[in-house]
Amino acid sequence: MTDDKRRYAIALGLLKGVGDVLARHLLQHFGNPEPVFSEKKHLLEKVPGIGKQTVAKIVASRADALKLAEEELAFVDKNKIRVYSILEDDYPYRLRECQDAPMTFYFKGRAELNAARVISVVGTRNATEYGRSLTEAMLRDLAAMFPDVLVVSGLAYGIDICAHRNALKNGLPTVGVLAHGLDRIYPAFHRNIAVEMLGHGGLLTDFVSKTTPVRENFLQRNRLIAGLADATVVVESAEKGGALVTANIAFSYSRDVYSFPGRTTDEHSCGCNRLIQTNRAGLITSARDLAEALGWDTAKKTPGAADARLPFRDSVPDHPLLALLAEKGEMQINDLATSAGMPVYRLSPMLFELELAGHVKALPGSVYKLNL
């Protein structure tokens, strides 16, 4: 991309009132980001689904967004950081499928983000010896079977850093997804391993430089950890925590989620046990289980290996909305509401439940289709 196109792509994500979903909607409407910065206010107000208040925020912040984008371009060029734009063909295809994929993100390293096999490994920051040993064994055995597996995690304390270390130890490329700009490393204690990852993996973020690692950023970055991978593996997790957030996001993307079970009395495994109990995660006990469940090890796949997959994915219930989508294909939510004879406010929660169950998939522009 030219510098001018990169500048507009970066600036689009910096506009006030414009999140990832709206940015994608604007991009689909105009075809490229530049008109968002040049069109007059009354023309922006004609874009479907955008209110006057949002347009006012966009117009008021355009100059600042472009200035920040110029500063960011100077930073990434100086530090040899790759800017990925959703407008480019080599944007990671797994992430592109996510409705809230970022318009741009920043990557420094050597990993192939469109690798044939990608897993995310997440878990508690307060990892026990049980969790660390599970992580070590899983990555050691995965490396023996598939030495090209890309391991994604969040560079945090606990299971995250254990996953990165053991990926490197076993020669697997590993990418750390950050909750801040690439001008810093948090936690600073992990700087040395982060530097090592640049040579065999990399660091990735959708935050511009000078962004500090505040709490809400960690929640936002979790969608990238989930979206970049074929499957998310939760090694150890309490009843609440970022690992479960990542798992639920992956589930909402109709991606596979797997978890190691733990003792019912172990607080660091109760989140994993609950994921399995509620059918949001398939139960695994080894790398072999994971490979077979994902269909990676087809030559040595044993009967019953598919049992580790989420059990409801292969059975589609008798539901009027699913029947409509099966008959007509992709449908915008307003058209679907008209065909179903119900208002959108009643339709939305039904679609959300079907999406969580893995039966439908949400596309940009509030379009839905069967998740076959």
Side-chain angles (χ1 to χ4, degrees), residues 82-151:
R82 168 69 195 276
V83 180
Y84 278 86
S85 167
I86 205 165
L87 297 167
E88 297 176 288
D89 292 338
D90 61 350
Y91 188 97
Y93 71 87
R94 297 174 180 88
L95 189 59
R96 189 193 298 273
E97 293 173 353
C98 305
Q99 189 175 7
D100 56 353
M103 290 297 98
T104 56
F105 68 85
Y106 311 93
F107 178 71
K108 187 172 178 64
R110 298 181 178 179
E112 171 52 67
L113 301 180
N114 281 315
R117 300 177 180 89
V118 186
I119 62 166
S120 291
V121 181
V122 296
T124 178
R125 292 173 183 244
N126 302 306
T128 68
E129 181 56 36
Y130 172 71
R132 289 190 292 270
S133 63
L134 284 174
T135 306
E136 181 177 0
M138 178 181 68
L139 294 177
R140 179 195 65 223
D141 295 343
L142 268 182
M145 292 185 287
F146 307 103
D148 60 344
V149 173
L150 175 61
V151 178

Side-chain angles (χ1 to χ4, degrees), residues 346-367:
R346 284 186 55 201
L347 192 72
S348 293
M350 296 171 67
L351 286 169
F352 182 66
E353 290 181 7
L354 289 170
E355 187 179 1
L356 287 181
H359 299 311
V360 302
K361 184 172 184 178
L363 302 175
S366 296
V367 175

Side-chain angles (χ1 to χ4, degrees), residues 34-326:
E34 191 277 332
V36 182
F37 296 88
S38 59
E39 291 286 9
K40 295 186 181 300
K41 185 177 179 180
H42 73 277
L43 293 176
L44 288 175
E45 289 174 351
K46 293 183 179 180
V47 177
I50 299 182
K52 291 186 177 181
Q53 289 185 342
T54 299
V55 170
K57 291 179 181 178
I58 290 173
V59 172
S61 63
R62 289 192 294 197
D64 287 341
L66 285 170
K67 181 180 178 183
L68 286 173
E70 288 177 1
E71 294 175 357
E72 194 61 19
L73 273 178
F75 171 78
V76 299
D77 288 343
K78 177 182 178 181
N79 292 280
K80 295 181 173 57
I81 293 169
R82 168 69 195 276
V83 180
Y84 278 86
S85 167
I86 205 165
L87 297 167
E88 297 176 288
D89 292 338
D90 61 350
Y91 188 97
Y93 71 87
R94 297 174 180 88
L95 189 59
R96 189 193 298 273
E97 293 173 353
C98 305
Q99 189 175 7
D100 56 353
M103 290 297 98
T104 56
F105 68 85
Y106 311 93
F107 178 71
K108 187 172 178 64
R110 298 181 178 179
E112 171 52 67
L113 301 180
N114 281 315
R117 300 177 180 89
V118 186
I119 62 166
S120 291
V121 181
V122 296
T124 178
R125 292 173 183 244
N126 302 306
T128 68
E129 181 56 36
Y130 172 71
R132 289 190 292 270
S133 63
L134 284 174
T135 306
E136 181 177 0
M138 178 181 68
L139 294 177
R140 179 195 65 223
D141 295 343
L142 268 182
M145 292 185 287
F146 307 103
D148 60 344
V149 173
L150 175 61
V151 178
V152 177
S153 196
L155 204 71
Y157 289 108
I159 296 300
D160 284 22
I161 199 65
C162 183
H164 292 307
R165 284 197 179 109
N166 281 282
L168 291 172
K169 177 182 178 182
N170 291 283
L172 296 176
T174 182
V175 168
V177 183
L178 310 179
H180 47 78
L182 284 170
D183 57 335
R184 66 196 71 201
I185 293 296
Y186 179 86
F189 187 73
H190 295 160
R191 177 174 293 277
N192 288 343
I193 194 167
V195 171
E196 186 178 353
M197 288 164 63
L198 294 177
H200 198 60
L203 302 174
L204 184 152
T205 183
D206 63 330
F207 293 103
V208 295
S209 58
K210 301 179 183 178
T211 303
T212 56
V214 295
R215 183 179 184 275
E216 53 266 30
N217 290 0
F218 288 93
L219 298 176
Q220 183 175 331
R221 71 92 190 263
N222 288 346
R223 82 195 194 289
L224 300 186
I225 296 176
L228 285 163
D230 297 307
T232 294
V233 179
V234 186
V235 177
E236 232 185 355
S237 176
E239 195 167 3
K240 295 181 180 180
L244 293 189
V245 172
T246 305
N248 284 323
I249 292 172
F251 187 87
S252 75
Y253 290 159
S254 296
R255 301 288 170 82
D256 284 343
V257 180
Y258 299 96
S259 188
F260 287 93
R263 293 176 299 185
T264 58
T265 56
D266 189 343
E267 65 174 312
H268 295 300
S269 289
C270 62
C272 295
N273 292 341
R274 180 56 61 89
L275 283 173
I276 296 167
Q277 181 186 37
T278 56
N279 290 328
R280 287 176 172 263
L283 187 155
I284 59 171
T285 61
S286 66
R288 173 67 63 185
D289 286 350
L290 178 63
E292 291 177 343
L294 289 170
W296 288 355
D297 200 20
T298 53
K300 300 180 181 179
K301 191 170 182 179
T302 56
D307 294 342
R309 286 186 175 273
L310 303 188
F312 48 76
R313 290 286 172 85
D314 295 328
S315 59
V316 178
D318 183 14
H319 195 287
L321 296 182
L322 296 181
L324 277 171
L325 291 173

